[in-house]
Amino acid sequence: MSTVRFRLPSHVVVEEGALDRLPEVLEVLGCRKLLLVTDENVWRLLGGRVEGVLRGSAEPMVSFARGSGYPSVGTVRAVIAERDPCAVAGLGGGRPIDVAKYAAHLEGLPFVSVPTALSHDGFASPIVALKDEQGNPVSLFTKPPAAVIVDLSVVSRAPHRLLASGAGDILAKLTSVADARLAQREVGERIPEAALEMAEAAYRILASHIGELARWSGEGVRLLAEAGLLAGMAMAVAGSSRPCSGSEHLFSHALDKLFPGRDSLHGEQVGVGAVVAAYLHGLDWEGLRESLRRVGAPTTVTELGVTLEQAAQALELAPKLRERYTILHKLRLSREEAARALREAGVA
Ligand SMILES: [Zn+2]
């Protein structure tokens, strides 16, 4: 018998002006000494506002996350040791969120996630993506945020490219869930059904509202936030990134490993990877590609800064990066087969 044990965020606020709720969230946590981990750009834009909101209710301290490696985590831990806060908030895009989440986890403090962009599904999840000493990406399981505050007036001001990338990461749950179900069937992997249903629901929220997302209206941004919350919860329930990360993520990791230094975003790579994975699974890859196109996300490997030959190399390498069973582990494509799949799925 497998067991299901998980923790979820206890306080979630998704609304225009949600930043104003920070004092309320800190009161629930019983905390008056907050460490904010952010970056200089975000702090320049929002620092005054956050300080104003917290005036009278909490004493904020600020630490800047200058990289996404362990040294940045070490810097935040040193500030925690010196200043003794009772909670850590990550305010910004992926980097401050991940650094703050991991430092809070290691120090046993509650973490408050305050994303300023929704470019991937990490803002409500228990997973952190960091770089190790060699600069290789590492993905670690922590505890989920104690609270998630998504201020829609802040995240909707982020560049459309970031929103489209976030949509790519969520639309890719079509294939991450298909990979998980394949692993259940073929290698008997145990994954809580609730986790798979949540990840599927995150996908459906976007897939059934592509019109709003294509306009990037306020409604579209709110739906993206809700889908991201569900994806984060799916990972918390599964106890791993399994429901939200399959062959399409392996393709993205392989691109990063083989061809670093391009400027394509996580969700952009994962979206294109999902089109190929959907083709290999026999799912509606054309519908997925059209959804990506409509939200403004890339649909070709050229837009990711690689050639067909390079993308085929990445697709061939992908299943060797991780043992977690996916359609790529089942098929073990040769370079030529990978190139054919990329062409037939219309991404090259
Ligand atoms: Zn992702």
Side-chain angles (χ1 to χ4, degrees):
M1 283 287 271
S2 58
T3 58
V4 178
R5 294 173 61 185
F6 56 85
R7 290 163 61 167
L8 293 173
S10 59
H11 212 90
V12 174
V13 187
V14 179
E15 63 187 20
E16 304 253 335
L19 272 180
D20 296 339
R21 305 277 185 172
L22 249 176
E24 200 177 290
V25 168
L26 291 175
E27 202 178 311
V28 171
L29 296 174
C31 177
R32 291 184 59 87
K33 237 174 129 183
L34 176 70
L35 174 62
L36 280 153
V37 179
T38 184
D39 64 37
E40 273 100 343
N41 282 336
V42 169
W43 194 244
R44 208 173 301 124
L45 288 170
L46 292 173
R49 165 126 185 254
V50 171
E51 282 179 332
V53 163
L54 290 175
R55 196 160 295 135
S57 64
E59 172 197 337
M61 301 163 259
V62 177
S63 173
F64 293 114
R66 296 206 162 84
S68 53
Y70 293 141
S72 297
V73 176
T75 304
V76 172
R77 293 184 76 186
V79 175
I80 293 172
E82 193 192 318
R83 310 282 302 273
D84 196 26
C86 38
V88 182
L91 172 74
R95 191 198 301 157
I97 298 267
D98 281 333
V99 168
K101 196 194 288 180
Y102 197 48
H105 172 69
L106 293 175
E107 297 296 332
L109 292 174
F111 168 63
V112 181
S113 179
V114 192
T116 56
L118 302 175
S119 59
H120 59 79
D121 65 13
F123 68 89
S125 83
I127 311 283
V128 290
L130 293 168
K131 297 243 164 60
D132 69 10
E133 288 80 0
Q134 285 76 43
N136 293 316
V138 280
S139 170
L140 302 155
F141 192 84
T142 68
K143 60 179 187 288
V148 181
I149 300 175
V150 183
D151 191 325
L152 293 175
S153 42
V154 170
V155 292
S156 61
R157 278 202 302 268
H160 280 188
R161 184 181 172 196
L162 298 183
L163 294 168
S165 170
D169 203 15
I170 299 288
L171 287 167
K173 307 313 173 217
L174 175 68
T175 57
S176 59
V177 172
D179 281 320
R181 294 205 186 279
L182 183 76
Q184 282 181 319
R185 277 198 310 276
E186 302 207 347
V187 296
E189 188 174 324
R190 287 183 182 274
I191 308 158
E193 187 57 28
L196 297 181
E197 294 282 342
M198 283 174 176
E200 246 162 18
Y203 163 78
R204 276 199 308 273
I205 287 179
L206 296 205
S208 56
H209 295 88
I210 289 296
E212 281 95 333
L213 289 154
R215 284 193 295 282
W216 285 121
S217 60
E219 179 74 355
V221 177
R222 185 178 59 75
L223 291 165
L224 179 60
E226 287 187 35
L229 283 169
L230 267 174
M233 282 159 56
M235 292 184 257
V237 171
S240 77
S241 62
R242 180 41 131 162
C244 296
S245 169
S247 44
E248 71 299 317
H249 274 73
L250 290 175
F251 173 68
S252 172
H253 298 328
L255 285 175
D256 290 338
K257 195 170 175 68
L258 291 170
F259 313 109
R262 292 160 304 107
D263 78 339
S264 55
L265 302 170
H266 170 80
E268 296 178 332
Q269 300 189 161
V270 162
V272 172
V275 175
V276 189
Y279 166 80
L280 295 170
H281 272 289
L283 296 167
D284 179 14
W285 56 274
E286 285 174 300
L288 178 60
R289 198 182 53 181
E290 177 60 11
S291 295
L292 289 171
R293 188 193 65 73
R294 288 185 66 195
V295 301
T299 56
T300 65
V301 297
T302 315
E303 291 167 272
L304 305 179
V306 292
T307 63
L308 168 62
E309 172 60 25
Q310 289 173 322
Q313 198 182 334
L315 202 55
E316 185 190 14
L317 172 69
K320 296 172 190 141
L321 294 181
R322 188 167 191 170
E323 280 182 22
R324 178 186 279 176
Y325 192 79
T326 69
I327 190 72
L328 295 174
H329 296 78
K330 179 183 169 112
L331 299 175
R332 294 280 174 188
L333 303 173
S334 66
R335 187 80 55 91
E336 294 69 36
E337 289 165 337
R340 194 180 321 129
L342 289 158
R343 269 197 308 269
E344 287 179 1
V347 300

